Amino acid sequence: MLADASIYGVALYAVGRSAKRKLQAAHLSGWLQLALALGVLSEVIRRFMFGSEPASTLMMCFGVIALIANATCLILIFKSKDDGAHMKASWIFSSNDVIANVGVILAGVLVAMTGSRYPDLVIGLLISGLVLHGAHRILKLKS
């Protein structure tokens, strides 16, 4: 949630500013998303190496709450997604969040069904790739 708040804070800072500042804000968001992707990846590696006991019910509950919050943000951003690089970055970030939330819920279901930690690790790896791809898309923005 800290990553979400940071990205939205950067986007809000850029509102009403020049196109150059909006692009700079978007690129800052891209770097923040890159840091998030690396953080997720390092957590997946840590859990793989040292073990983990994913709590499937907790994963699903937080996944649903986050999905509702992120889907709401995505709906709010929709009308303004083309109003500058900062809004495009927010759209990319929020879209990825919604996909990641569905992934967390799916991981929770699969962990509950199988009793294995591997669905959590595999989906965590996929989420880190998704976030990394989003960071790349944001950092490529030109306007």
Side-chain angles (χ1 to χ4, degrees), residues 123-137:
I123 291 178
L125 188 61
L126 292 172
I127 289 172
S128 69
L130 173 72
V131 175
L132 186 61
H133 178 68
H136 181 258
R137 287 177 54 203

Side-chain angles (χ1 to χ4, degrees), residues 57-128:
T57 304
L58 195 58
M59 290 169 64
M60 290 182 285
C61 289
F62 277 102
V64 168
I65 292 167
L67 178 61
I68 292 167
N70 288 316
T72 301
C73 290
L74 198 60
I75 290 166
L76 292 171
I77 293 169
F78 179 74
K79 289 181 184 178
S80 303
K81 69 179 178 168
D82 295 320
D83 290 350
H86 66 302
M87 295 306 294
K88 288 177 189 173
S90 294
W91 175 259
I92 291 168
F93 189 82
S94 294
S95 298
N96 285 346
D97 270 357
V98 167
I99 296 167
N101 298 146
V102 171
V104 168
I105 295 166
L106 177 61
V109 169
L110 292 172
V111 165
M113 287 174 50
T114 65
S116 171
R117 67 188 178 116
Y118 290 108
D120 180 46
L121 296 173
V122 169
I123 291 178
L125 188 61
L126 292 172
I127 289 172
S128 69

Side-chain angles (χ1 to χ4, degrees), residues 23-44:
L23 183 59
Q24 289 172 336
H27 286 170
L28 176 57
S29 295
W31 289 111
L32 290 170
Q33 189 156 14
L34 177 63
L36 176 63
L38 295 176
V40 171
L41 181 59
S42 68
E43 181 63 12
V44 169

